């Protein structure tokens, strides 16, 4: 196949600062540059979410503000809906990249991990989860990170990383496409 689709999922809830969104944008741009070197055609699908998910255009994705709570599963469900409607796995190489600060409605973490494990990851060539910001002030992993971490062993094409500084972006990107499993930067 000479075509790919890149799903960009981003938390735009009130806890996501402009600096976090800027890190996300830079990561998505780097991933896009990586994919367009490998495929003749690369479509990009932007899905943003707070407690509800929606497919949007580039400008809305990166610059329109929302302030709601966070329910990550809505973005995963929207990705599955869009893929089923427009991007058959038989005809497209499917990539997913999700960026969040790790905040999520507590009861939604297990459903997110189940959606990833059972539906999203089986259709993807690669899926990455980037947690932006300085991490949990208590030093513990966020509940979303912990839920996703349980999925990693069964899916070698699923990568996770922390990103707090733009200076670490290139190194993180190289590690994600060269190393297996989790990456911590």
């Amino acid at each position: 196949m000479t075509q790919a689709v890149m799903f960009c999922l981003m938390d735009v809830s009130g806890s996501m600062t402009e600096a976090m969104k800027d890190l996300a944008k830079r990561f998505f741009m780097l991933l896009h540059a990586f994919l367009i070197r490998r495929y003749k055609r690369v479509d990009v699908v932007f899905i943003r979410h707070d407690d509800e998910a929606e497919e949007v255009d580039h400008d809305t994705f990166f610059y329109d503000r929302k302030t709601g709570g966070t329910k990550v599963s809505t973005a995963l469900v929207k990705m599955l809906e869009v893929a089923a409607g427009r991007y058959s796995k038989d005809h497209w190489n499917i990539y997913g990249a999700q960026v969040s600060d790790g905040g999520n409605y507590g009861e939604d973490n297990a459903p997110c991990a189940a959606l990833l494990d059972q539906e999203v990851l089986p259709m993807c060539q690669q899926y990455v989860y980037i947690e932006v910001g300085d991490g949990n002030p208590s030093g513990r992993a966020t509940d979303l990170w912990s839920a996703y971490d349980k999925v990693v062993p069964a899916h070698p094409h699923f990568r996770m990383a922390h990103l707090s500084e733009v200076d670490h972006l290139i190194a993180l990107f190289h590690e994600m496409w060269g190393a297996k499993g989790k990456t911590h930067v």
Side-chain angles (χ1 to χ4, degrees), residues 82-94:
V82 172
R86 296 197 312 253
Y87 298 103
S88 163
K89 184 180 174 183
D90 295 335
H91 301 288
W92 291 85
N93 291 293
I94 300 173

Side-chain angles (χ1 to χ4, degrees), residues 95-122:
Y95 292 82
Q98 177 185 353
V99 177
S100 173
D101 64 358
N104 192 26
Y105 175 64
E107 294 175 9
D108 191 49
N109 294 312
C112 287
L115 280 167
L116 266 180
D117 184 41
Q118 297 163 16
E119 297 184 57
V120 173
L121 293 171

Side-chain angles (χ1 to χ4, degrees), residues 68-88:
T70 310
K71 191 171 180 187
V72 174
S73 64
T74 63
L76 298 171
V77 168
K78 179 60 76 176
M79 178 182 174
L80 291 166
E81 289 171 4
V82 172
R86 296 197 312 253
Y87 298 103
S88 163

Side-chain angles (χ1 to χ4, degrees), residues 1 19 24 26 28 33 46 55 72 80 86-87 100 108-109 116 125-126 128 168 171 174 178:
M1 287 181 270
R26 291 170 189 260
F28 291 134
F46 295 105
E55 181 181 359
V72 174
L80 291 166
R86 296 197 312 253
Y87 298 103
S100 173
D108 191 49
N109 294 312
L116 266 180
Q125 297 292 114
Q126 179 105 19
V128 296
H168 299 150
H174 285 286

Side-chain angles (χ1 to χ4, degrees), residues 5-176:
V5 58
M6 178 177 127
F7 282 91
C8 301
L9 287 67
M10 184 169 62
D11 176 356
V12 293
S13 65
S15 61
M16 284 287 288
T17 66
E18 289 307 312
M20 291 173 177
K21 289 180 193 176
D22 182 62
L23 284 173
K25 181 178 182 178
R26 291 170 189 260
F27 179 79
F28 291 134
M29 289 172 50
L30 194 56
L31 178 56
H32 185 252
F34 175 78
L35 292 176
I36 60 174
R37 291 180 160 196
R38 282 152 182 79
Y39 297 100
K40 287 184 179 181
R41 176 179 176 187
V42 177
D43 284 6
V44 180
V45 176
F46 295 105
I47 298 173
R48 70 179 192 164
H49 72 89
D50 51 8
D51 56 347
E52 294 180 5
E54 60 184 338
E55 181 181 359
V56 296
D57 62 28
H58 173 275
D59 289 344
T60 302
F61 186 75
F62 288 113
Y63 303 111
D64 189 42
R65 297 189 55 89
K66 291 191 85 166
T67 59
T70 310
K71 191 171 180 187
V72 174
S73 64
T74 63
L76 298 171
V77 168
K78 179 60 76 176
M79 178 182 174
L80 291 166
E81 289 171 4
V82 172
R86 296 197 312 253
Y87 298 103
S88 163
K89 184 180 174 183
D90 295 335
H91 301 288
W92 291 85
N93 291 293
I94 300 173
Y95 292 82
Q98 177 185 353
V99 177
S100 173
D101 64 358
N104 192 26
Y105 175 64
E107 294 175 9
D108 191 49
N109 294 312
C112 287
L115 280 167
L116 266 180
D117 184 41
Q118 297 163 16
E119 297 184 57
V120 173
L121 293 171
M123 77 174 180
C124 289
Q125 297 292 114
Q126 179 105 19
Y127 191 93
V128 296
Y129 171 64
I130 305 293
E131 202 163 282
V132 293
D134 292 328
N136 191 334
S138 70
R140 292 184 355 197
T142 65
D143 290 340
L144 184 60
W145 179 278
S146 295
Y148 280 8
D149 196 34
K150 294 174 185 164
V151 176
V152 170
H155 300 279
H157 61 292
F158 176 38
R159 308 280 204 284
M160 295 172 46
H162 287 104
L163 181 62
S164 60
E165 308 220 4
V166 71
D167 294 346
H168 299 150
L169 183 58
I170 300 295
L172 177 139
F173 195 83
H174 285 286
E175 285 183 42
M176 293 196 105

